[in-house]
Amino acid sequence: MFEELLDNYLRFLESLTVEHFIRLFWFYIFFEFMRYFLLEFFVLNLWKLSKLWNKKKYAQAKKEFHFEYPLVSIIIPGKNEGKHLYKLVQSLNEQTYKNTEIIVVDDGSDDDTPTIGRDLEKAGKLDVFIRNEVRGGKASGANTALRFTKGKYIVHLDADCSYDRDAIEKIIIPFYLDKDVAGVGGNVMVRNYDESLVTTLQAIEYYDTISIGRVVTSYLGIYRIISGAFGAFRADALEQVKGWDIGPGLDGDITVKLRKLGYKIKFEQEAVCLTSVPNTVKKLTRQRLRWDKSLIRFRVRKHKDVLIPNQAFSFLNFFAFLENITYNLLLNFKWYFYLGDMLVNYRSMLVNIIITNVLLYTLTNFFKFVVYSLYRARTNASYTYFLIYIPCMVFYFGYYLRVVRTIAYIQEFFFKQSYKDPWNPSKTSVHAKKMNL
Amino acid sequence: MAELKVNREESLVEFAGFKFLLINPEDGLSVEKVQFHNAVIIDGNDRAFIRQIVRRIRSDNQPDIYLKPIFILKGININDPFVNKLVDGTLFSLDQIELIIPEVERILTKTKDLHFTNSLSFEAQMIEKTISFMYTCEIQDLEPIPYIYSSNNYSYPILSVNFRQRDEHIALDILEIAEREGIFDSSYIDRIYLCPSCQGGHLTYREVCPKCGSSNSTTEDIIHHFPCAYVGPLSDFTNEIDDQLDCPKCNKRLRHIGVDYDKPSVLHECKACDHKFQDFNVKAKCLACTTDNLVEQLKGKEIRKYSLTKKGELAAINGFVSTSKDIEEIIGTVKFETFVTMLKYEIERLRQTEGASNICAVHLSNPSQIYSKMGSEVQKVLLKDLVKVIRSNIRSSDIISFQSSSTIILSMNEIPTRIAKRILSEIIDMLKRLIATTFKDIDVEFEYEVIKLDYKLSPQLHIQQLTKAFG
């Protein structure tokens, strides 16, 4: 059986001409290989060169930052996050940059978070602990924290994360490199990468899409999402946009709001944060359904004006949106078109086409993972640990995530499911839905 | 019927064989004459004067002063519950004196039952005083009274009278000791909180800024606007035109709490340091020493009602010697009874030789304060040091004893009184220097007295005369 399959496949390869190869694998060649390898690789090299080129400028910005020594307000909104708080404040109290204030908002927790928070506040481990008796949602929690801040810069963190000793310092320096920067995203890595296959695959995904992918989009000026787990903002810019709007997807939303005001958004690869990711397929699916819906809700619906030429039109914002919509939304459906194309026209070769696709993607993934290690600031685990899992990535990325994304888009586009997500209290979602927010 | 004799010049009232000391404001606050009378009648409408006299008598260290019955003439209404607990009755006029005779008789008879041990332990001395008084007045329970003039807010008049207002917390410690010794049983009444610095109970509780401790702050409700997730204090939403609330982020009017907005918390802003916070710290400022304490740091004490046990009653009669807190004999001293015996022999000798001998006393006039600051262990060290200094400055043939934990008596035989006074004065100077160098933070006040022995007087009368000036 296997020998027959192998024989058949080798014959298929022998008969493959260049034209034939392009016809059969157009999706991989024109979209995946071009965008996610060639372009990425090219930009990464440009970025590396510019980093070397701007070494002095960076040192100067760092000096300026330390000379000014501004107060940095660290805000941590969350519900039932008490169990993570001690570890979190410990990693924050270890920071190399000391002029910080830590503000924790307990958004209507029903566990022992209030007790833990108050104890930490009394012990001086955090500066302000705010308890909202009634849950208002992540956005209102963050906005509550914002009211208590005094810093020039606001760093938004998730309670279940921990941070490199120099993370706060590293995430603030980009503001001194370019005065138009209003937001900087930190580099998020997976802490529990070895907990299960699901977490390992996510760790590889984060190395690729965050550690590398965001360097590329940031360099191109189209970086569009400052992760809620680790993001820094200029306080005056946040004041201009009046803080966060209702989620889910509020971190991407606020980034767009800042971009629309003409501010630049940057990614700082060296500001490292470790987070715990979902450890089962079920939990991961729920998380990704929520994340993916926000593309429809915010890009296609709430901020569709970015795509319309008007007085506030920005080419970069337009391009950022277009790239996002094209590669995530359209190509997602285009892939089904490709699948259909193959089914209709090359049904007899379908097995060989799938095998070739898997091999092509896997080879690319291996190559990317190894070569891109030269462009990553660091990893939190040995590279070799992940190598044996690379072959799984094609199924994770190419099939699992694509299917989840498709479901999310349909749910949101036709049923506005995100407004029903219990992640946000319904008392606020009902208004957001009514106002198309 | 017995005849009432009133001699206002000598402040004496005699009736039925009993001598009453009539004290009025013109006579001043001197109480030493009390010991030569059977009871005291305080004449006067001045409440402050009555309070002071009663306190003086009841806080005296000599049983034949502090145990004497006290009555108040003219029957003015004494509102002070503290004083009320320390007097034995009131008279509307001296003509009613007959009515108080049974009471006086009873107290004096019961006083005769008592033996005193002259313990060197301050606690033991206080316990003995308290239970003696309870025995003579047939008081079974030592009840705390809420008393605004007490530093603890509760007072046990019979015991607390021995302390200055700010040292009244010692009474609680002493009662705990007495209970441990089996003198009292107790039952819970209340709980108080004391300043850890000065043990004062006059505290003012304030909500303060957790950052700078200031109580000067403003408070505002925080509003969460549901449609746009804007969160801010109420003032952000108020407009200048009408009383309506408008969202500063999305300009929508806030209409219905719970539907389009709510008030999840409050915002306090410190006017001293601009710190914004949600939870105040509660601090208790001590009005006595001005220390600002976190409430968690306050010292909690139980206020209990103490009832005299059978053992307590026996201790009152036989004299209380504490088993754990008494101070053992200090080297270089003799027991008080021995001192009295030797004094008796010296008086006998003088009768035949007509020589000049003296007895002297050194008195610590603020024992309760010293105890309050030192505790019994350090106090013991202090007494030992004092004796050492005295011993090294008198002849080896002279003897030293303790009349109480605060009164040292010594003999100075075969020297003129003038010289004895000079020696004692020099000793006092040395003692003061010792205190200044060794016990820096403690203010010890000394009084001293020297009297020449008179072979016509008994040893007891000599000691009474010697110590009468010490309060």
mmCIF file of all heavy atoms in Angstrom, chain A residues 358-389:
data_model
loop_
_atom_site.group_PDB
_atom_site.id
_atom_site.type_symbol
_atom_site.label_atom_id
_atom_site.label_comp_id
_atom_site.label_asym_id
_atom_site.label_seq_id
_atom_site.Cartn_x
_atom_site.Cartn_y
_atom_site.Cartn_z
ATOM 1 N N VAL A 358 1.975 19.577 1.688
ATOM 2 C CA VAL A 358 2.462 19.351 3.059
ATOM 3 C C VAL A 358 3.976 19.443 3.097
ATOM 4 O O VAL A 358 4.563 20.077 3.979
ATOM 5 C CB VAL A 358 1.965 17.985 3.588
ATOM 6 C CG1 VAL A 358 2.688 17.600 4.870
ATOM 7 C CG2 VAL A 358 0.463 18.023 3.825
ATOM 8 N N LEU A 359 4.619 18.829 2.136
ATOM 9 C CA LEU A 359 6.085 18.857 2.104
ATOM 10 C C LEU A 359 6.608 20.278 1.890
ATOM 11 O O LEU A 359 7.560 20.704 2.549
ATOM 12 C CB LEU A 359 6.608 17.931 1.001
ATOM 13 C CG LEU A 359 6.494 16.434 1.312
ATOM 14 C CD1 LEU A 359 6.913 15.606 0.092
ATOM 15 C CD2 LEU A 359 7.378 16.066 2.506
ATOM 16 N N LEU A 360 5.966 20.994 0.980
ATOM 17 C CA LEU A 360 6.411 22.369 0.703
ATOM 18 C C LEU A 360 6.298 23.248 1.946
ATOM 19 O O LEU A 360 7.221 23.967 2.316
ATOM 20 C CB LEU A 360 5.559 22.974 -0.428
ATOM 21 C CG LEU A 360 5.900 22.549 -1.850
ATOM 22 C CD1 LEU A 360 4.860 23.097 -2.831
ATOM 23 C CD2 LEU A 360 7.285 23.039 -2.245
ATOM 24 N N TYR A 361 5.146 23.155 2.582
ATOM 25 C CA TYR A 361 4.925 23.968 3.790
ATOM 26 C C TYR A 361 5.883 23.569 4.897
ATOM 27 O O TYR A 361 6.428 24.405 5.600
ATOM 28 C CB TYR A 361 3.470 23.824 4.267
ATOM 29 C CG TYR A 361 2.496 24.721 3.535
ATOM 30 C CD1 TYR A 361 1.654 24.228 2.536
ATOM 31 C CD2 TYR A 361 2.409 26.077 3.850
ATOM 32 C CE1 TYR A 361 0.758 25.053 1.863
ATOM 33 C CE2 TYR A 361 1.503 26.906 3.186
ATOM 34 C CZ TYR A 361 0.682 26.379 2.209
ATOM 35 O OH TYR A 361 -0.200 27.205 1.552
ATOM 36 N N THR A 362 6.068 22.233 5.031
ATOM 37 C CA THR A 362 6.940 21.763 6.110
ATOM 38 C C THR A 362 8.372 22.212 5.889
ATOM 39 O O THR A 362 9.048 22.682 6.811
ATOM 40 C CB THR A 362 6.859 20.228 6.220
ATOM 41 O OG1 THR A 362 5.498 19.875 6.370
ATOM 42 C CG2 THR A 362 7.653 19.716 7.403
ATOM 43 N N LEU A 363 8.818 22.099 4.649
ATOM 44 C CA LEU A 363 10.183 22.538 4.334
ATOM 45 C C LEU A 363 10.350 24.023 4.622
ATOM 46 O O LEU A 363 11.339 24.454 5.228
ATOM 47 C CB LEU A 363 10.483 22.265 2.850
ATOM 48 C CG LEU A 363 11.069 20.884 2.537
ATOM 49 C CD1 LEU A 363 11.173 20.701 1.022
ATOM 50 C CD2 LEU A 363 12.451 20.732 3.178
ATOM 51 N N THR A 364 9.354 24.772 4.209
ATOM 52 C CA THR A 364 9.406 26.223 4.449
ATOM 53 C C THR A 364 9.435 26.507 5.949
ATOM 54 O O THR A 364 10.199 27.348 6.418
ATOM 55 C CB THR A 364 8.172 26.915 3.827
ATOM 56 O OG1 THR A 364 7.991 26.414 2.518
ATOM 57 C CG2 THR A 364 8.343 28.423 3.777
ATOM 58 N N ASN A 365 8.582 25.782 6.660
ATOM 59 C CA ASN A 365 8.530 25.989 8.115
ATOM 60 C C ASN A 365 9.864 25.668 8.774
ATOM 61 O O ASN A 365 10.321 26.406 9.642
ATOM 62 C CB ASN A 365 7.428 25.126 8.734
ATOM 63 C CG ASN A 365 6.049 25.703 8.453
ATOM 64 O OD1 ASN A 365 5.921 26.897 8.155
ATOM 65 N ND2 ASN A 365 5.024 24.874 8.513
ATOM 66 N N PHE A 366 10.461 24.552 8.368
ATOM 67 C CA PHE A 366 11.782 24.208 8.919
ATOM 68 C C PHE A 366 12.792 25.302 8.620
ATOM 69 O O PHE A 366 13.518 25.756 9.511
ATOM 70 C CB PHE A 366 12.282 22.881 8.305
ATOM 71 C CG PHE A 366 11.968 21.682 9.147
ATOM 72 C CD1 PHE A 366 11.145 20.671 8.697
ATOM 73 C CD2 PHE A 366 12.528 21.574 10.424
ATOM 74 C CE1 PHE A 366 10.847 19.570 9.492
ATOM 75 C CE2 PHE A 366 12.238 20.469 11.218
ATOM 76 C CZ PHE A 366 11.406 19.466 10.752
ATOM 77 N N PHE A 367 12.801 25.682 7.377
ATOM 78 C CA PHE A 367 13.774 26.686 6.934
ATOM 79 C C PHE A 367 13.573 27.988 7.711
ATOM 80 O O PHE A 367 14.514 28.587 8.240
ATOM 81 C CB PHE A 367 13.613 26.916 5.424
ATOM 82 C CG PHE A 367 14.705 27.790 4.874
ATOM 83 C CD1 PHE A 367 15.975 27.273 4.632
ATOM 84 C CD2 PHE A 367 14.476 29.139 4.606
ATOM 85 C CE1 PHE A 367 16.977 28.083 4.135
ATOM 86 C CE2 PHE A 367 15.484 29.948 4.114
ATOM 87 C CZ PHE A 367 16.739 29.416 3.877
ATOM 88 N N LYS A 368 12.310 28.394 7.788
ATOM 89 C CA LYS A 368 11.999 29.641 8.497
ATOM 90 C C LYS A 368 12.410 29.561 9.963
ATOM 91 O O LYS A 368 13.020 30.463 10.520
ATOM 92 C CB LYS A 368 10.487 29.948 8.406
ATOM 93 C CG LYS A 368 10.092 30.678 7.141
ATOM 94 C CD LYS A 368 8.587 30.817 7.019
ATOM 95 C CE LYS A 368 8.042 31.893 7.908
ATOM 96 N NZ LYS A 368 6.609 32.150 7.651
ATOM 97 N N PHE A 369 12.061 28.426 10.566
ATOM 98 C CA PHE A 369 12.323 28.318 12.009
ATOM 99 C C PHE A 369 13.819 28.388 12.311
ATOM 100 O O PHE A 369 14.249 29.051 13.251
ATOM 101 C CB PHE A 369 11.747 26.998 12.542
ATOM 102 C CG PHE A 369 11.753 26.930 14.051
ATOM 103 C CD1 PHE A 369 10.807 27.624 14.796
ATOM 104 C CD2 PHE A 369 12.731 26.210 14.729
ATOM 105 C CE1 PHE A 369 10.825 27.583 16.180
ATOM 106 C CE2 PHE A 369 12.761 26.171 16.113
ATOM 107 C CZ PHE A 369 11.799 26.851 16.842
ATOM 108 N N VAL A 370 14.603 27.714 11.453
ATOM 109 C CA VAL A 370 16.054 27.683 11.692
ATOM 110 C C VAL A 370 16.684 29.026 11.316
ATOM 111 O O VAL A 370 17.400 29.637 12.108
ATOM 112 C CB VAL A 370 16.704 26.513 10.905
ATOM 113 C CG1 VAL A 370 18.222 26.560 11.038
ATOM 114 C CG2 VAL A 370 16.171 25.183 11.406
ATOM 115 N N VAL A 371 16.361 29.490 10.108
ATOM 116 C CA VAL A 371 17.012 30.723 9.631
ATOM 117 C C VAL A 371 16.554 31.936 10.449
ATOM 118 O O VAL A 371 17.352 32.797 10.800
ATOM 119 C CB VAL A 371 16.748 30.926 8.125
ATOM 120 C CG1 VAL A 371 17.292 32.270 7.650
ATOM 121 C CG2 VAL A 371 17.389 29.799 7.337
ATOM 122 N N TYR A 372 15.285 31.966 10.779
ATOM 123 C CA TYR A 372 14.765 33.127 11.524
ATOM 124 C C TYR A 372 15.322 33.218 12.946
ATOM 125 O O TYR A 372 15.208 34.254 13.591
ATOM 126 C CB TYR A 372 13.228 33.098 11.579
ATOM 127 C CG TYR A 372 12.561 33.516 10.296
ATOM 128 C CD1 TYR A 372 13.294 33.787 9.158
ATOM 129 C CD2 TYR A 372 11.169 33.639 10.231
ATOM 130 C CE1 TYR A 372 12.660 34.153 7.981
ATOM 131 C CE2 TYR A 372 10.540 34.023 9.069
ATOM 132 C CZ TYR A 372 11.287 34.268 7.933
ATOM 133 O OH TYR A 372 10.673 34.638 6.783
ATOM 134 N N SER A 373 15.929 32.124 13.382
ATOM 135 C CA SER A 373 16.514 32.197 14.728
ATOM 136 C C SER A 373 17.597 33.270 14.792
ATOM 137 O O SER A 373 17.898 33.795 15.855
ATOM 138 C CB SER A 373 17.073 30.838 15.133
ATOM 139 O OG SER A 373 18.157 30.519 14.296
ATOM 140 N N LEU A 374 18.131 33.587 13.632
ATOM 141 C CA LEU A 374 19.142 34.655 13.566
ATOM 142 C C LEU A 374 18.506 36.029 13.776
ATOM 143 O O LEU A 374 19.179 37.008 14.050
ATOM 144 C CB LEU A 374 19.850 34.638 12.198
ATOM 145 C CG LEU A 374 20.612 33.363 11.840
ATOM 146 C CD1 LEU A 374 20.990 33.383 10.368
ATOM 147 C CD2 LEU A 374 21.840 33.236 12.724
ATOM 148 N N TYR A 375 17.201 36.081 13.635
ATOM 149 C CA TYR A 375 16.517 37.383 13.696
ATOM 150 C C TYR A 375 15.682 37.545 14.964
ATOM 151 O O TYR A 375 15.077 38.573 15.175
ATOM 152 C CB TYR A 375 15.615 37.554 12.464
ATOM 153 C CG TYR A 375 16.375 37.488 11.175
ATOM 154 C CD1 TYR A 375 16.625 36.271 10.549
ATOM 155 C CD2 TYR A 375 16.874 38.659 10.580
ATOM 156 C CE1 TYR A 375 17.344 36.202 9.372
ATOM 157 C CE2 TYR A 375 17.596 38.595 9.403
ATOM 158 C CZ TYR A 375 17.829 37.359 8.800
ATOM 159 O OH TYR A 375 18.545 37.310 7.643
ATOM 160 N N ARG A 376 15.617 36.483 15.750
ATOM 161 C CA ARG A 376 14.851 36.583 16.990
ATOM 162 C C ARG A 376 15.743 37.122 18.105
ATOM 163 O O ARG A 376 16.936 36.839 18.132
ATOM 164 C CB ARG A 376 14.315 35.217 17.422
ATOM 165 C CG ARG A 376 13.193 34.731 16.549
ATOM 166 C CD ARG A 376 12.578 33.462 17.121
ATOM 167 N NE ARG A 376 11.811 32.802 16.081
ATOM 168 C CZ ARG A 376 12.213 31.721 15.423
ATOM 169 N NH1 ARG A 376 13.367 31.159 15.714
ATOM 170 N NH2 ARG A 376 11.469 31.208 14.471
ATOM 171 N N ALA A 377 15.136 37.881 19.030
ATOM 172 C CA ALA A 377 15.915 38.410 20.146
ATOM 173 C C ALA A 377 16.388 37.252 21.010
ATOM 174 O O ALA A 377 17.544 37.127 21.361
ATOM 175 C CB ALA A 377 15.074 39.360 20.977
ATOM 176 N N ARG A 378 15.467 36.414 21.364
ATOM 177 C CA ARG A 378 15.783 35.217 22.146
ATOM 178 C C ARG A 378 14.570 34.313 22.115
ATOM 179 O O ARG A 378 13.480 34.728 21.705
ATOM 180 C CB ARG A 378 16.150 35.570 23.582
ATOM 181 C CG ARG A 378 14.973 36.047 24.439
ATOM 182 C CD ARG A 378 15.416 36.180 25.878
ATOM 183 N NE ARG A 378 14.327 36.464 26.789
ATOM 184 C CZ ARG A 378 13.558 35.538 27.351
ATOM 185 N NH1 ARG A 378 13.713 34.266 27.058
ATOM 186 N NH2 ARG A 378 12.607 35.886 28.203
ATOM 187 N N THR A 379 14.750 33.090 22.540
ATOM 188 C CA THR A 379 13.591 32.228 22.765
ATOM 189 C C THR A 379 13.650 31.819 24.225
ATOM 190 O O THR A 379 14.691 31.946 24.868
ATOM 191 C CB THR A 379 13.632 30.953 21.894
ATOM 192 O OG1 THR A 379 14.866 30.290 22.160
ATOM 193 C CG2 THR A 379 13.495 31.264 20.438
ATOM 194 N N ASN A 380 12.524 31.344 24.738
ATOM 195 C CA ASN A 380 12.534 30.933 26.134
ATOM 196 C C ASN A 380 12.736 29.431 26.266
ATOM 197 O O ASN A 380 12.532 28.867 27.314
ATOM 198 C CB ASN A 380 11.250 31.371 26.852
ATOM 199 C CG ASN A 380 10.018 30.816 26.194
ATOM 200 O OD1 ASN A 380 9.988 30.683 24.973
ATOM 201 N ND2 ASN A 380 9.015 30.480 26.988
ATOM 202 N N ALA A 381 13.118 28.778 25.163
ATOM 203 C CA ALA A 381 13.402 27.342 25.223
ATOM 204 C C ALA A 381 14.379 27.010 24.104
ATOM 205 O O ALA A 381 14.611 27.818 23.207
ATOM 206 C CB ALA A 381 12.116 26.559 25.042
ATOM 207 N N SER A 382 14.939 25.812 24.182
ATOM 208 C CA SER A 382 15.919 25.404 23.175
ATOM 209 C C SER A 382 15.225 25.226 21.816
ATOM 210 O O SER A 382 14.135 24.661 21.733
ATOM 211 C CB SER A 382 16.556 24.093 23.635
ATOM 212 O OG SER A 382 17.084 23.417 22.543
ATOM 213 N N TYR A 383 15.878 25.685 20.731
ATOM 214 C CA TYR A 383 15.308 25.533 19.378
ATOM 215 C C TYR A 383 15.089 24.076 19.029
ATOM 216 O O TYR A 383 14.087 23.707 18.424
ATOM 217 C CB TYR A 383 16.258 26.134 18.339
ATOM 218 C CG TYR A 383 16.242 27.630 18.312
ATOM 219 C CD1 TYR A 383 17.389 28.358 18.621
ATOM 220 C CD2 TYR A 383 15.079 28.326 17.965
ATOM 221 C CE1 TYR A 383 17.380 29.732 18.598
ATOM 222 C CE2 TYR A 383 15.067 29.703 17.951
ATOM 223 C CZ TYR A 383 16.210 30.409 18.267
ATOM 224 O OH TYR A 383 16.191 31.753 18.261
ATOM 225 N N THR A 384 16.046 23.267 19.453
ATOM 226 C CA THR A 384 15.982 21.851 19.072
ATOM 227 C C THR A 384 14.742 21.171 19.637
ATOM 228 O O THR A 384 14.244 20.210 19.064
ATOM 229 C CB THR A 384 17.244 21.105 19.553
ATOM 230 O OG1 THR A 384 17.434 21.422 20.930
ATOM 231 C CG2 THR A 384 18.470 21.526 18.767
ATOM 232 N N TYR A 385 14.246 21.702 20.766
ATOM 233 C CA TYR A 385 13.043 21.121 21.373
ATOM 234 C C TYR A 385 11.880 21.157 20.389
ATOM 235 O O TYR A 385 11.062 20.237 20.327
ATOM 236 C CB TYR A 385 12.686 21.894 22.654
ATOM 237 C CG TYR A 385 11.392 21.439 23.298
ATOM 238 C CD1 TYR A 385 11.370 20.357 24.168
ATOM 239 C CD2 TYR A 385 10.184 22.085 23.008
ATOM 240 C CE1 TYR A 385 10.188 19.929 24.740
ATOM 241 C CE2 TYR A 385 8.991 21.661 23.578
ATOM 242 C CZ TYR A 385 9.001 20.582 24.442
ATOM 243 O OH TYR A 385 7.831 20.158 25.014
ATOM 244 N N PHE A 386 11.832 22.228 19.610
ATOM 245 C CA PHE A 386 10.662 22.432 18.744
ATOM 246 C C PHE A 386 10.781 21.741 17.380
ATOM 247 O O PHE A 386 9.782 21.555 16.710
ATOM 248 C CB PHE A 386 10.442 23.931 18.522
ATOM 249 C CG PHE A 386 10.129 24.668 19.800
ATOM 250 C CD1 PHE A 386 11.102 25.430 20.444
ATOM 251 C CD2 PHE A 386 8.867 24.591 20.374
ATOM 252 C CE1 PHE A 386 10.825 26.108 21.616
ATOM 253 C CE2 PHE A 386 8.580 25.263 21.551
ATOM 254 C CZ PHE A 386 9.560 26.014 22.177
ATOM 255 N N LEU A 387 12.017 21.388 16.986
ATOM 256 C CA LEU A 387 12.229 20.912 15.619
ATOM 257 C C LEU A 387 11.340 19.715 15.259
ATOM 258 O O LEU A 387 10.774 19.665 14.167
ATOM 259 C CB LEU A 387 13.700 20.556 15.399
ATOM 260 C CG LEU A 387 14.622 21.781 15.249
ATOM 261 C CD1 LEU A 387 16.071 21.353 15.151
ATOM 262 C CD2 LEU A 387 14.227 22.612 14.017
ATOM 263 N N ILE A 388 11.204 18.789 16.192
ATOM 264 C CA ILE A 388 10.409 17.590 15.861
ATOM 265 C C ILE A 388 8.913 17.900 15.719
ATOM 266 O O ILE A 388 8.147 17.106 15.196
ATOM 267 C CB ILE A 388 10.606 16.441 16.890
ATOM 268 C CG1 ILE A 388 10.302 16.924 18.307
ATOM 269 C CG2 ILE A 388 11.987 15.834 16.793
ATOM 270 C CD1 ILE A 388 10.046 15.770 19.258
ATOM 271 N N TYR A 389 8.516 19.056 16.229
ATOM 272 C CA TYR A 389 7.088 19.411 16.132
ATOM 273 C C TYR A 389 6.777 20.223 14.867
ATOM 274 O O TYR A 389 5.623 20.462 14.554
ATOM 275 C CB TYR A 389 6.654 20.224 17.359
ATOM 276 C CG TYR A 389 6.741 19.448 18.642
ATOM 277 C CD1 TYR A 389 7.836 19.595 19.487
ATOM 278 C CD2 TYR A 389 5.738 18.546 19.004
ATOM 279 C CE1 TYR A 389 7.934 18.883 20.669
ATOM 280 C CE2 TYR A 389 5.825 17.825 20.183
ATOM 281 C CZ TYR A 389 6.927 17.995 21.019
ATOM 282 O OH TYR A 389 7.008 17.281 22.170
#
